[in-house]
Amino acid sequence: MVTDRTLIEAGIWERVHASLAMSAISWELFAEGQPEPSLRLADECATAARRIQPQAVVGLGGGSNMDVAKMTAVLLRHAGSARDYLGDNRVPGPIAPLVCIPTTAGTGSEVSHAAAFTDTEQRVKTGMLSDYLRPKLALVDPALTHSCPPKVTADSGIDALTHAIEAYTAVDNAHFPLPPGERSAYQGKNPMGDLFAEQAIRLCGKYLRRAVHDGDDAEARDGMALAATLAGLAFSNVGVALVHALEYAVGGLVPVSHGAGNGLLLPFVMQFNLPGREAEFCRIAEWLGEPPTPDNAIRAVEQLKKEIGIPTRLRELGISPQQLRGLAEQAHAIRRITRVNPREAQIEDLEAILRAAW
């Protein structure tokens, strides 16, 4: 069982423990989970698991704990270290049985084929993508999110919205720029992804503010739990794009949660992507409760950010103007996700987005 000390102190672990005890299942606890987990932490968890050779791995917590559980399940079945499996489709075969139990509503890791980590050596966030990473079982109980504090609720919720918007506005499947002979864990925009993304956007627009401002609002917690899972299904079948590429660079440089970084950057990337995605943006505006114009989609996201306390500028994170070019270069190199964007972006374009966000 992969979890963290905060969830133990909050009593979440006790509820899971009681269920295991009633089923007479023996377990071992790894409670060293951390936000934005490092590759080193994933290796440490896998080492602990290899000592006991469990029959299954359970990830309890937010995306960070679930992602560490995913890497642990990989390393239980395959040799090497966490760094060996970064990138697209580098997991060679099935992993140990994996169960994910989210305690936040945002990452969608409980249903996705992705896991994100911080590379402390290169000072950049990175990730692995493989359909083998999809959990065997996802137990989504909104009641486990009720103890989630407002900031975590806001950061994870805007992450779900980012997943849905990037999936809904991604490059079309028919035009996905995949070189011959190369495989990708993403497929580009498609009708099934659109269905998941639309419902996730609608739910975020209706319930995210309520969940942040009143953690005991059960209807809002239910709605956001569903939004996160649907957004996870959307992006893991379509892809994420420039928002995530830029956040991977930003999040590796300064201490900011993945969700807050995504939320900060989202409207600026939307502005860049507006040409050619006007119809999609009109629908997004309507789903977020605004008149259906492209600009209203961007304004709706900006207003939502303001109301739930997401940082609005990169300078608030301590980033200097001199660092923007390097961040753009790092983001541009993450081709597995930049190619999902509906509009091709050069380093200069990414730097312009960052300057607008600064």
Side-chain angles (χ1 to χ4, degrees):
M1 175 77 69
V2 181
T3 190
D4 60 63
R5 299 293 174 185
T6 298
L7 292 178
I8 292 175
E9 293 170 4
I12 300 295
W13 157 245
E14 281 303 319
R15 298 164 70 176
V16 179
H17 175 210
S19 177
L20 292 172
M22 284 191 296
S23 302
I25 295 173
S26 60
W27 50 269
E28 192 79 21
L29 191 64
F30 182 86
E32 308 309 316
Q34 299 172 0
E36 317 307 322
S38 66
L39 293 171
R40 181 181 298 111
L41 179 68
D43 282 328
E44 290 173 358
C45 185
T47 298
R50 280 168 169 160
R51 283 197 292 265
I52 60 171
Q53 287 297 307
Q55 292 178 295
V57 180
V58 179
L60 172 67
S64 297
N65 291 349
M66 290 188 283
D67 288 355
V68 171
K70 287 181 176 181
M71 184 65 85
T72 299
V74 170
L75 295 176
L76 275 172
R77 287 291 182 268
H78 305 288
S81 65
R83 190 177 296 277
D84 298 329
Y85 299 98
L86 300 177
D88 248 5
N89 292 304
R90 297 187 66 184
V91 180
I95 64 176
L98 176 66
V99 178
C100 281
I101 309 173
T103 61
T104 63
T107 69
S109 189
E110 67 273 10
V111 292
S112 82
H113 62 352
F117 301 94
T118 301
D119 185 339
T120 53
E121 294 179 13
Q122 302 297 324
R123 297 189 71 186
V124 67
K125 287 184 182 176
T126 185
M128 63 174 177
L129 301 168
S130 169
D131 277 324
Y132 290 120
L133 297 180
R134 292 189 192 273
K136 291 291 186 184
L137 178 66
L139 298 175
V140 185
D141 182 354
L144 297 180
T145 70
H146 282 222
S147 61
C148 203
K151 183 181 186 308
V152 178
T153 301
D155 289 0
S156 55
I158 203 74
D159 193 25
L161 181 62
T162 302
H163 291 157
I165 289 177
E166 288 216 283
Y168 190 67
T169 58
V171 64
D172 291 328
N173 171 265
H175 305 295
F176 194 92
L178 194 63
E182 187 172 337
R183 296 176 59 214
S184 173
Y186 291 143
Q187 304 302 322
K189 182 176 170 66
N190 61 72
M192 185 183 72
D194 286 353
L195 290 172
F196 291 138
E198 174 185 343
Q199 290 305 312
I201 294 167
R202 288 180 182 274
L203 289 164
C204 288
K206 184 175 182 179
Y207 292 120
L208 179 51
R209 293 175 180 85
R210 287 170 52 180
V212 171
H213 296 143
D214 181 5
D216 293 323
D217 185 334
E219 183 182 359
R221 292 293 196 183
D222 287 2
M224 284 308 302
L226 180 56
T229 299
L230 292 174
L233 290 168
F235 91 78
S236 65
N237 283 284
V238 175
V240 289
L242 287 191
V243 176
H244 277 70
L246 291 166
E247 197 288 322
Y248 277 6
V250 169
L253 180 65
V254 295
V256 61
S257 77
H258 178 63
N262 277 341
L264 190 160
L265 292 161
L266 176 58
F268 301 100
V269 173
M270 290 174 70
Q271 189 68 55
F272 176 78
N273 284 338
L274 196 155
R277 281 291 182 253
E278 292 89 349
E280 285 83 0
F281 276 37
C282 285
R283 296 186 194 104
I284 290 170
E286 186 175 10
W287 298 337
L288 292 176
E290 299 295 333
T293 69
D295 288 341
N296 277 345
I298 300 170
R299 279 194 286 269
V301 170
E302 289 174 335
Q303 183 62 30
L304 178 58
K305 280 174 50 179
K306 180 180 178 181
E307 291 183 28
I308 64 174
I310 300 298
T312 59
R313 294 288 172 178
L314 290 173
R315 56 179 173 267
E316 297 174 33
L317 306 181
I319 292 175
S320 70
Q322 293 74 27
Q323 294 172 309
L324 300 181
R325 178 70 180 193
L327 293 173
E329 291 171 350
Q330 279 190 325
H332 187 262
I334 310 175
R335 188 60 184 158
R336 71 180 185 277
I337 51 179
T338 59
R339 64 187 173 196
V340 179
N341 205 63
R343 183 180 175 192
E344 181 70 26
Q346 303 304 320
I347 293 174
E348 291 73 18
D349 297 317
L350 299 181
E351 184 178 1
I353 294 170
L354 291 171
R355 291 200 179 279
W358 191 82

